[in-house]
Amino acid sequence: MSVSSRSATMPSLPSFFCVLLAVVVVYTSTAAPRCNCPGPTGCQYGKNCTKGTYCCGGSTMDPSCLPRNSTKKCCTFYMASTVCNHTDTCCGGGGPGASSSAFCCKASTTCCQTTLPYEGYGTCCANGTTCCAAQNYVTCCKAGSTCCGSSVTALCCPPGGQCCRSADYQYWCCGAASKCGPKYGNCTKKHPTTPKVLELLP
């Protein structure tokens, strides 16, 4: 085959690059999904919310689409999301990454979260109880109990009891009939005091 006949059958470089560019554009438009409610890595795990709905938890691990007139509401906590009833309270813990958790506390409960939410997980305390929270731990104290909490400890002291702290910042409870001792976990019995009787001079 002559050089002239070979060049006539081969596309020119500008035409070749134009075809290649068109293929890339078509592939990109079909391969890359589009969405208006992205997941944590974009649209790979995202949703495409239609008209009349809205995105709940965009850029979280579990995005969803909720009807605008829904009786539900969106609950997000760092990278987690869920759907709650309107009467619920949104609660959560963990994070700020993949360890995030979002959950709903029913109307008869309240959300009890750690003082540093990403350090621990919250819980739902029943009405009539008190949220006792530390940086990475929470508990629900019964009525009449006292919350004995610090940056790392959360415990409930019995009614009438007291919260004790040692010199090295360890916490414990002592009952109503005792008082805090000098060391961790030590409670000493209270000694009743006898009132002094003053004798009247004749």
Side-chain angles (χ1 to χ4, degrees), residues 30-190:
T30 56
R34 295 181 180 180
C35 65
N36 53 19
C37 189
T41 57
C43 288
Q44 183 179 4
Y45 300 104
K47 304 289 184 180
N48 194 18
C49 298
T50 58
K51 186 178 180 181
T53 64
Y54 68 96
C55 176
C56 169
S59 299
T60 66
M61 297 179 288
D62 302 294
S64 59
C65 301
L66 279 179
R68 295 192 179 278
N69 59 351
S70 173
T71 58
K72 307 288 185 179
K73 66 180 180 181
C74 184
C75 171
T76 60
F77 190 88
Y78 289 113
M79 287 190 66
S81 63
T82 190
V83 177
C84 301
N85 293 320
H86 272 295
T87 55
D88 295 345
T89 303
C90 180
C91 201
S99 62
S100 306
S101 174
F103 55 92
C104 312
C105 289
K106 300 300 180 184
S108 59
T109 63
T110 56
C111 174
C112 181
Q113 289 180 325
T114 54
T115 55
L116 291 178
Y118 52 84
E119 287 288 336
Y121 290 89
T123 189
C124 300
C125 289
N127 288 349
T129 61
T130 303
C131 172
C132 184
Q135 286 185 358
N136 57 6
Y137 179 76
V138 296
T139 188
C140 304
C141 295
K142 295 180 179 179
S145 300
T146 302
C147 174
C148 185
S150 67
S151 60
V152 294
T153 303
L155 61 152
C156 304
C157 294
Q162 56 183 321
C163 179
C164 306
R165 189 188 76 180
S166 62
D168 55 351
Y169 296 95
Q170 291 182 301
Y171 288 76
W172 73 98
C173 295
C174 284
S178 58
K179 61 182 180 179
C180 300
K183 296 182 179 181
Y184 172 69
N186 180 247
C187 299
T188 59
K189 189 175 181 180
K190 291 181 179 178

